[in-house]
Amino acid sequence: MNPKDRIDFLIKEIKKHNRLYYKEAAPSISDQDYDLLMLELKDWEQKFPQYRQADSPTQIVGNDLDSESKSIAHLQPMYSLDNIFSVDGVISFWKNLGCPKLTMEPKFDGFSVNIFYENGHLQYATTRGNGKQGENISANLKMIDALPWQIEPLQKMEVRGEVYMPKQEFERLLAQGYSFANPRNAAVGAIKLEDSKEANNRHLQASFYALGYTDGLSVGSQEEVLRFLEEQKFKVSSLSQCAHLEQEIRDYCAKLDNLRGNLGFEIDGIVFKVNDFELQKKLGFTSKYPKWAMAYKFPAEEQVSQLLDIEYNVGRTGAVTPVAILQPVRISGSTVSRATLHNFAFLRSLKLHLGDEVILIKSGEIIPKIIGIKKPTENGKEIVLPQVCPVCGTELKQGKFIVSCPNENCPARSLRKIEHFVSKSALDIVGLGPKQIKLLSDNGMLTKIEDIYNLDYEKVLLLERQAEQSVQNLADSVQVSKSKPFAKVLYGLGISGVGEQIAEVLVSEFTSLEKLQVASEEELRAIADIGPVLAENIVAYFTNQENIRTIDALRKAGLNFIGDDKEKKTGVLVGKTFLITGKLSKYKRQELKDILLGAGGKVLSAVSSKLDYLVVGDAPGSKLEKAKKLGSVQIVEEDEIVQMLGENLDKKYMKQNSDDR
């Protein structure tokens, strides 16, 4: 396995799941599976540090910021916590620090918030965001009873906590017909509602545990912080306590693991912190985590159910995924009746029979999965894997792990393609979720992507549960999608391997779909971010007659297939390529990228023969050595970029002080 390719794949995959988790509150994998991806990435980066990227998920805080929402900068950064998955790991962490006194607190399964007070009065509340700035959620957060509006006067103070939805409230919403994956998703959805009265009806709670920036308050330990917060009428967990001894730590882990199923709220672990602030200060931080704190994640909860049947779902690319149909069982706060079986190879390895009692886990309350057989059934029916597509009847293509339907016109594939095309990251067509797409498809109105632009809205209005305003919103959103950037359209087409970033790269390189359609594999492979497999996929897509027909129809509908190249044509850096490495002093990394792109330059993701300039800051790492070995790359510093741009430099990006990045 090529280390660089695996690291690149893991970074891309984790970034996708970060977006789903933090920004869309719609995670598609369990916490446990996500943690395994992160652990694998950390391991690869440790072994091959030369391939570590500055924006790797191991180096930056998860980001819940919505680009369209108003954000506010934190006065003091909000960090993530590194994870440990065993009690022995917690003990090792404690011993490596010299066995200091620890505070131990339940890890609420909600989302982090930052509350700012000035002169004793609540001014605003934000999400954690990207760690440096968060989304303004003041109107809805003020509805939470656990949040005092006024505290003991101080000049300025940030209070940090976790907002969550109690289990009872979650069950009430489900009974009313709401559809949420888990209490955390329900809490995120509630806090971002535009109607504050409706948000108040969701009865969110919060628990507070930390201070950010403070002006005029002197505290020397985490114990003192919790005591201060209680005095100011903040809700603080009664389960928090301190430990001096190893047995105290082990006892606390066992206690909370046993308690968690009986609490009125979800917790998914324990947070351990060095109690003494002076020691915290000496230990410091990484770019993402404090070195003096750690989150212990509970083992996944297990339950037993009976396997009733197997269904087979066909995805956008044709991949067929087996899904277990189960006797409904209660696990991690919700009722489960289906569980993923991943792929045919995994299904074969379990050696299941219909009627077997199976062991389920549901780590993170997201996706249930079967991990083994508890008790085989007598005379159970053997599971015969399909040889033809369960939807269209086409003979399946058998791979080592993936079995797929090769029929591009398979109705199931078409529906998944439509779902991808209208998704938020692509054309973002509001009102076309999976249920609505299925309804329109069942009524013969929507069978392929281009049908979106030929909908008869009067007929749509006649369908079941179609409100006039909702149909009008759909029509408006479809019209708006015609003006979306070319990169969004290209991503929406669903070319295998072309994610959001690659779509941007292709648009930058070819500027129009017409040029991209005739690009050869050699031309595509010459681009730094595109390998041979991806190049082959792109060429194959544009030689498929069905895809060409779809593109022609979308072009006639008025979609945008031309990139905005105006700045590049007039930019002073047109035709030049750049790569940034190390810690910058005058700009944030993204700011410098924006400057270079705005002046017509291209920013690459790796050192290659296509690179003209390597911009170096402090501690540049292996990229500098690689560039020197090539001999063709010019090594420059930030000041030299300023000189190159001259009067074209956008002064709004200049900073007075350096940032930690």
Side-chain angles (χ1 to χ4, degrees):
M1 185 182 296
N2 184 301
K4 182 181 183 304
D5 289 348
R6 187 59 184 170
I7 288 172
D8 289 346
F9 168 79
L10 288 168
I11 287 174
K12 180 181 176 182
E13 191 72 5
I14 292 169
K15 283 182 176 179
K16 178 186 79 174
H17 292 302
N18 280 345
R19 172 175 55 78
L20 290 170
Y21 183 86
Y22 289 108
K23 295 187 178 182
E24 299 183 22
S28 62
I29 62 172
S30 69
D31 283 1
Q32 187 178 51
D33 288 341
Y34 176 86
D35 292 336
L36 289 174
L37 287 174
M38 282 291 284
L39 285 172
E40 185 185 354
L41 178 58
K42 287 179 184 178
D43 186 53
W44 279 106
E45 288 181 341
Q46 243 179 358
K47 291 176 181 175
F48 301 95
Q50 66 269 34
Y51 300 132
R52 183 189 293 126
Q53 299 176 19
D55 62 347
S56 167
T58 63
Q59 307 299 307
I60 58 177
V61 173
N63 184 0
D64 62 32
L65 281 177
D66 185 330
S67 59
E68 297 179 2
S69 301
K70 184 178 179 183
S71 61
I72 301 174
H74 306 315
L75 299 182
Q76 186 169 302
M78 296 181 73
Y79 288 85
S80 298
L81 290 172
D82 205 356
N83 295 322
I84 288 176
F85 301 96
S86 69
V87 177
D88 287 342
V90 175
I91 300 302
S92 295
F93 163 74
W94 173 64
K95 288 181 177 179
N96 288 338
L97 296 179
C99 302
K101 182 179 181 180
L102 296 179
T103 55
M104 307 179 295
E105 306 164 20
K107 185 177 180 295
F108 288 82
D109 193 14
F111 63 95
S112 302
V113 292
N114 182 58
I115 321 295
F116 177 67
Y117 293 84
E118 189 166 19
N119 297 325
H121 296 279
L122 193 158
Q123 302 297 316
Y124 59 76
T126 67
T127 63
R128 184 178 65 181
N130 61 11
K132 292 186 178 181
Q133 57 184 1
E135 183 180 335
N136 188 344
I137 53 171
S138 304
N140 289 349
L141 204 68
K142 287 179 179 179
M143 300 290 179
I144 296 177
D145 293 337
L147 184 65
W149 286 46
Q150 191 168 347
I151 61 173
E152 182 180 302
L154 290 166
Q155 289 299 310
K156 293 179 180 178
M157 182 172 71
E158 292 177 316
V159 177
R160 272 82 190 264
E162 193 87 357
V163 172
Y164 62 90
M165 179 172 284
K167 291 178 182 177
Q168 186 175 354
E169 175 63 12
F170 179 66
E171 297 295 338
R172 182 182 73 84
L173 292 176
L174 291 183
Q176 290 181 2
Y178 288 92
S179 177
F180 298 111
N182 52 59
R184 182 193 180 276
N185 284 14
V188 173
I191 208 67
K192 295 193 176 185
L193 286 170
E194 293 183 8
D195 185 347
S196 293
K197 188 177 289 185
E198 176 60 24
N200 188 35
N201 289 335
R202 302 289 178 89
H203 304 136
L204 297 180
Q205 289 295 325
S207 181
F208 297 91
Y209 49 76
L211 299 176
Y213 175 85
T214 60
D215 185 2
L217 179 68
S218 177
V219 286
S221 69
Q222 177 65 11
E223 278 183 296
E224 290 181 37
V225 166
L226 295 177
R227 197 177 306 124
F228 169 78
L229 291 173
E230 280 190 295
E231 290 169 356
Q232 300 303 317
K233 308 303 180 187
F234 288 96
K235 186 176 179 182
V236 175
S237 175
S238 60
L239 295 171
S240 299
Q241 64 185 68
C242 288
H244 300 82
L245 305 172
E246 178 177 334
Q247 194 57 48
E248 290 176 328
I249 296 172
R250 292 186 180 277
D251 289 347
Y252 187 81
C253 290
K255 171 186 169 183
L256 259 65
D257 199 0
N258 290 330
L259 270 179
R260 60 174 167 143
N262 300 314
L263 297 172
F265 46 85
E266 298 285 352
I267 62 173
D268 58 358
I270 300 169
V271 177
F272 293 89
K273 302 175 186 174
V274 169
N275 186 53
D276 181 72
F277 281 1
E278 279 300 315
L279 182 52
Q280 285 188 12
K281 189 175 179 181
K282 288 178 184 176
L283 292 169
F285 297 82
T286 68
S287 60
K288 186 175 181 180
Y289 308 119
K291 295 179 181 179
W292 41 265
M294 187 65 69
Y296 162 58
K297 302 293 283 289
F298 290 133
E301 183 182 342
E302 293 185 2
Q303 286 289 356
V304 175
S305 181
Q306 186 178 31
L307 178 64
L308 304 178
D309 200 359
I310 303 285
E311 284 186 0
Y312 298 92
N313 293 338
V314 183
R316 171 172 59 90
T317 62
V320 180
T321 305
V323 177
I325 308 303
L326 304 162
Q327 186 69 38
V329 64
R330 197 81 178 151
I331 180 170
S332 297
S334 62
T335 300
V336 169
S337 59
R338 299 165 67 87
T340 179
L341 289 164
H342 301 294
N343 53 52
F344 282 31
F346 181 78
L347 178 53
R348 288 190 197 98
S349 71
L350 290 174
K351 299 179 180 178
L352 295 170
H353 290 76
L354 297 185
D356 286 348
E357 287 189 4
V358 294
I359 303 169
L360 284 173
I361 64 168
K362 195 184 177 197
S363 177
E365 297 80 45
I366 306 297
I367 297 180
K369 61 182 180 182
I370 294 172
I371 60 170
I373 299 173
K374 176 75 172 179
K375 181 183 177 183
T377 184
E378 291 185 16
N379 304 316
K381 184 180 177 182
E382 186 177 352
I383 295 168
V384 179
L385 300 180
Q387 299 301 305
V388 298
C389 175
V391 178
C392 70
T394 303
E395 185 176 348
L396 294 174
K397 182 180 178 182
Q398 304 287 333
K400 185 177 181 181
F401 295 104
I402 304 298
V403 175
S404 59
C405 172
N407 179 13
E408 290 281 351
N409 297 315
C410 173
R413 291 188 64 178
S414 297
L415 289 184
R416 301 294 91 75
K417 288 176 183 178
I418 294 169
E419 289 173 11
H420 174 76
F421 186 81
V422 304
S423 66
K424 191 168 185 177
S425 299
L427 277 293
D428 192 18
I429 299 179
V430 178
L432 271 185
K435 289 182 181 178
Q436 183 76 343
I437 290 171
K438 180 74 164 53
L439 176 66
L440 295 174
S441 174
D442 290 346
N443 285 274
M445 298 183 186
L446 186 59
T447 59
K448 46 192 182 296
I449 289 172
E450 54 267 37
D451 291 344
I452 294 168
Y453 299 95
N454 296 305
L455 286 172
D456 185 333
Y457 296 107
E458 290 185 3
K459 289 183 178 178
V460 174
L461 196 54
L462 296 176
L463 299 178
E464 186 181 1
R465 296 181 180 178
Q466 299 301 301
E468 188 172 345
Q469 186 59 54
S470 298
V471 174
Q472 184 58 53
N473 291 342
L474 170 59
D476 292 343
S477 191
V478 168
Q479 188 61 32
V480 168
S481 73
K482 296 179 181 180
S483 60
K484 291 292 174 75
F486 173 28
K488 294 282 188 183
V489 182
L490 183 59
Y491 171 66
L493 292 177
I495 303 171
S496 180
V498 177
E500 294 175 74
Q501 185 175 348
I502 293 297
E504 294 281 0
V505 169
L506 290 171
V507 168
S508 173
E509 193 72 29
F510 294 99
T511 72
S512 75
L513 188 68
E514 202 170 51
K515 292 178 182 177
L516 179 58
Q517 280 182 284
V518 298
S520 66
E521 285 189 35
E522 289 73 21
E523 289 175 294
L524 289 163
R525 289 173 65 176
I527 301 169
D529 294 295
I530 296 178
V533 175
L534 182 52
E536 185 180 337
N537 290 347
I538 294 168
V539 170
Y541 181 89
F542 289 118
T543 53
N544 181 288
Q545 291 304 309
E546 188 65 25
N547 295 334
I548 292 171
R549 186 193 56 72
T550 295
I551 289 167
D552 289 342
L554 293 177
R555 186 180 278 113
K556 286 178 183 176
L559 271 73
N560 181 18
F561 286 113
I562 299 176
D564 184 3
D565 202 28
K566 294 178 182 177
E567 287 188 324
K568 285 182 62 180
K569 290 178 180 176
T570 58
V572 295
L573 300 180
V574 66
K576 302 296 183 185
T577 57
F578 297 82
L579 179 64
I580 305 167
T581 183
K583 180 179 177 181
L584 305 178
S585 59
K586 291 184 171 62
Y587 307 96
K588 291 181 179 179
R589 185 177 292 268
Q590 188 58 51
E591 289 172 348
L592 186 54
K593 281 185 180 179
D594 291 342
I595 290 171
L596 295 171
L597 292 170
K602 291 181 184 177
V603 180
L604 305 183
S605 61
V607 175
S608 73
S609 59
K610 299 290 182 183
L611 180 63
D612 294 320
Y613 296 94
L614 181 69
V615 185
V616 298
D618 294 335
S622 60
K623 289 178 183 175
L624 178 58
E625 295 306 315
K626 281 187 177 180
K628 286 179 178 177
K629 284 180 182 178
L630 276 178
S632 59
V633 180
Q634 286 188 246
I635 314 298
V636 296
E637 296 181 355
E638 291 169 87
D639 289 338
E640 292 173 89
I641 295 294
V642 173
Q643 292 171 11
M644 290 170 68
L645 289 167
E647 62 183 18
N648 296 283
L649 178 66
D650 192 339
K651 298 299 191 294
K652 73 180 179 182
Y653 290 113
M654 291 298 292
K655 294 175 61 61
Q656 297 301 314
N657 300 303
S658 63
D659 285 336
D660 289 327
R661 280 174 279 281

